[in-house]
Amino acid sequence: EDQVTQSPEALRLQEGESSSLNCSYTVSGLRGLFWYRQDPGKGPEFLFTLYSAGEEKEKERLKATLTKKESFLHITAPKPEDSATYLCAVAGGTNAGKSTFGDGTTLTVKP
Amino acid sequence: DAGVIQSPRHEVTEMGQEVTLRCKPISGHDYLFWYRQTMMRGLELLIYFNNNVPIDDSGMPEDRFSAKMPNASFSTLKIQPSEPRDSAVYFCASRPRQGNEKLFFGSGTQLSVL
């Protein structure tokens, strides 16, 4: 069974204070690892897909990286508008149609 | 594109009543997913369809839950009878063909069972 564990559960940063979110996973035959952003009262919104170890993706202040066991979402010089819950998910080969989600990291960036 | 459309946005009902949640996926998407989100259990997959056919319903909590997809543009999730522990946010998501697992989520239905 695919499993995803995210840490920390919550992270409070000052504006401009860079940090990283962690996503550890176990999956049989990784088809993709995904990062989503979820704002209160809304559905998750896609950020990145990573397919193989060593791959990196960037978008504005966010950078996602992938190893064989975990992924990191690096946030550089965050702004208050980056405050949200960040969800990690994996899609595996045994049941390729579905994504299994972690519980998320709630990020709060104070001005 | 209007995105994934769910209705209603909020539903308040009493224990024992039937609840029907509705979803219109993005046109052309082959897959449709129903997820439930709670503080305690996070985002859980209930069931998903491929080309209107249910593929995996192992996440459906019990027989009180049922889902249908009569055509490519409409799906329902029904709870009968509803119980207070069913209170959660229910999300519908869709995605295109195999090999592109990025999900597009609707805004969700906030269900409260009193």
Side-chain angles (χ1 to χ4, degrees), chain A residues 3-50:
Chain A
Q3 290 191 324
V4 178
T5 303
Q6 293 188 244
S7 62
E9 288 186 14
L11 182 62
R12 296 172 66 90
L13 299 173
Q14 287 295 128
E15 184 172 2
E17 179 186 3
S18 301
S19 188
S20 296
L21 283 55
N22 177 264
C23 171
S24 298
Y25 66 92
T26 55
V27 64
S28 177
L30 180 69
R31 293 179 59 87
L33 183 140
F34 312 92
W35 284 98
Y36 291 83
R37 170 186 171 134
Q38 186 175 23
D39 292 299
K42 296 187 177 181
E45 182 179 352
F46 173 80
L47 290 173
F48 303 110
T49 306
L50 301 167

Side-chain angles (χ1 to χ4, degrees), chain A residues 91-105:
Chain A
T94 55
N95 196 339
K98 70 179 186 181
S99 293
T100 299
F101 281 81
D103 290 339
T105 294

Side-chain angles (χ1 to χ4, degrees), chain A residues 65-109:
Chain A
T65 62
L66 181 65
T67 72
K68 289 185 177 180
K69 294 183 178 181
E70 57 190 353
S71 177
F72 293 93
L73 185 64
H74 307 277
I75 304 175
T76 302
K79 298 182 178 182
E81 53 262 42
D82 295 322
S83 298
T85 295
Y86 291 87
L87 296 165
C88 174
V90 294
T94 55
N95 196 339
K98 70 179 186 181
S99 293
T100 299
F101 281 81
D103 290 339
T105 294
T106 299
L107 173 66
T108 304
V109 182

Side-chain angles (χ1 to χ4, degrees), chain B residues 66-80:
Chain B
S66 63
K68 294 182 179 179
M69 192 165 185
N71 56 62
S73 59
F74 184 66
S75 177
T76 60
L77 178 67
K78 185 175 293 187
I79 308 172
Q80 167 62 21

Side-chain angles (χ1 to χ4, degrees), chain A residues 31 34 36 38 41-44 46 49 51 87 91 95-103, chain B residues 9 31 33 35 37 41-43 45 48 56 58 91 95 98-99 101-103 105-107:
Chain A
R31 293 179 59 87
F34 312 92
Y36 291 83
Q38 186 175 23
K42 296 187 177 181
F46 173 80
T49 306
Y51 293 103
L87 296 165
N95 196 339
K98 70 179 186 181
S99 293
T100 299
F101 281 81
D103 290 339
Chain B
R9 284 284 280 135
Y31 287 82
F33 302 79
Y35 282 88
Q37 188 173 43
R41 301 175 66 92
L43 201 59
L45 178 65
Y48 78 93
D56 184 349
S58 60
F91 287 105
R95 70 166 175 84
Q98 185 99 5
E101 284 87 3
K102 166 185 170 182
L103 294 174
F105 282 83
S107 296

